[in-house]
Amino acid sequence: RASIETLIQQSGMQSTIFLCGPYPGGCAYNSLLASYHGLILASTGSEGLPLVLIESMSAGLPFLSTKIGGIVDAAKGNADVLIVEPTVEALKDGLLTFARRIREGAILPNRLRYYYLANFSPKVIETKWRQMIENPREFFNELR
């Protein structure tokens, strides 16, 4: 935390960037996510599909992240998120694009919630797991 606070001060952004501590649990967490303009997940190493991105979509909160692991799966056909290469330059350019899209109203929270319901809701995930368990060969052949 101390090193992040130092970087914020050195960049002169202490009136713009705030470190608010740990997230609350339960419904308060979802409400907090829904109150944000966007979420940035700057993964640079090995990554699956982080739960925070699924939670973000369920709250209608757009995100900017990197083309690492399963993160790309949350962006397929998703007009309300932005995925960039895992480099400082790409993240910088992506952040500017992301902020512009938010300001212009190009990102629609309700569309993002619908994307979540259609692709990552508990019912959708349960159905996929059942299909895989019932017939793994067929399930994995369809993914090719």
Side-chain angles (χ1 to χ4, degrees):
R1 182 179 177 113
S3 63
I4 293 172
E5 288 171 340
T6 300
L7 287 171
I8 292 169
Q9 287 182 352
Q10 288 173 348
S11 69
M13 299 193 69
Q14 56 271 36
S15 64
T16 306
I17 299 173
F18 304 95
L19 301 180
C20 299
Y23 287 110
C27 292
Y29 174 65
N30 195 26
S31 294
L32 181 63
L33 286 179
S35 74
Y36 293 155
H37 295 289
L39 177 98
I40 312 297
L41 182 67
S43 297
T44 58
S46 181
E47 190 77 78
L49 176 54
L51 184 57
V52 70
L53 298 183
I54 295 171
E55 293 165 341
S56 171
M57 290 186 288
S58 77
L61 176 66
F63 64 82
L64 163 66
S65 193
T66 51
K67 293 180 180 177
I68 299 287
I71 294 172
V72 177
D73 293 333
K76 290 178 184 169
N78 191 341
D80 299 303
V81 303
L82 184 60
I83 305 294
V84 299
E85 293 297 327
T87 65
V88 170
E89 191 64 29
L91 281 162
K92 183 184 91 173
D93 293 343
L95 183 56
L96 294 172
T97 300
F98 189 58
R100 179 184 46 78
R101 289 179 63 204
I102 291 170
R103 274 194 316 274
E104 292 173 352
I107 293 174
L108 305 175
N110 284 337
R111 180 175 60 197
L112 185 54
R113 282 186 206 95
Y114 179 77
Y115 181 90
Y116 159 78
L117 289 171
N119 295 281
F120 293 99
S121 68
K123 184 67 177 165
V124 169
I125 301 300
E126 176 187 340
T127 300
K128 290 202 179 287
W129 271 96
R130 286 189 186 280
Q131 290 170 345
M132 182 188 67
I133 290 167
E134 290 169 1
N135 193 338
R137 179 170 286 152
E138 183 178 317
F139 179 83
F140 289 105
N141 280 337
E142 287 178 11
L143 294 178
R144 291 183 191 181

